[in-house]
Amino acid sequence: MFLLYEYDIFWAFLIISSVIPILAFLLSGILAPIRKEPEKLSSYESGIEPIGDAWLQFRIRYYMFALVFVVFDVETVFLYPWAMSFDVLGVSVFIEALIFVLILIVGLVYAWRKGALEWS
C-alpha cells in the first residue's frame, strides 16, 4: 500500500509556498492606493526631468554578449568540483572533463566567428 503520510511535509511545504505569494499579491492589490496622476506616471531618475521617450531600443548585440558570458561563466563553475576531486576520480573522468572543455572551446570559437563577442 502506498503510504501518503510520508509526504505530509512535502504537501504542507507545497501548499504554504503556493499560498504565501498569492496572498501577497492579493493584499497588495487591495491595500495599495490607486492614483493615476501625471506625476506618478512620469519617469523619474536622479531628480532630473526626463527628456524624450523613456523607452529606448537597445541593440541585440549587448544581450548576446551578456548571454555568451553567462553561459561560459556557469559552465566553468562545473569544472570546480572536478578539480577538487581530480586525484580520486581517475583517468576516465579526466577524459570526460577534457571533452567538456573541448566543447566549451568549440562554442567559444563559434561565438567568436559569428561576431557575438564584438562589442561595437
Side-chain angles (χ1 to χ4, degrees), residues 43-94:
S43 300
Y44 182 79
E45 183 175 338
S46 306
I48 301 172
E49 288 292 323
I51 299 172
D53 195 12
W55 294 99
L56 298 175
Q57 188 173 11
F58 291 100
R59 294 190 324 192
I60 190 70
R61 190 171 302 242
Y62 299 121
Y63 297 112
M64 292 301 295
F65 192 81
L67 185 63
V68 167
F69 170 75
V70 168
V71 165
F72 286 106
D73 193 43
V74 169
E75 294 297 328
T76 54
V77 169
F78 290 126
L79 292 175
Y80 184 73
W82 169 79
M84 289 289 102
S85 57
F86 173 70
D87 56 344
V88 178
L89 296 174
V91 178
S92 65
V93 176
F94 175 72

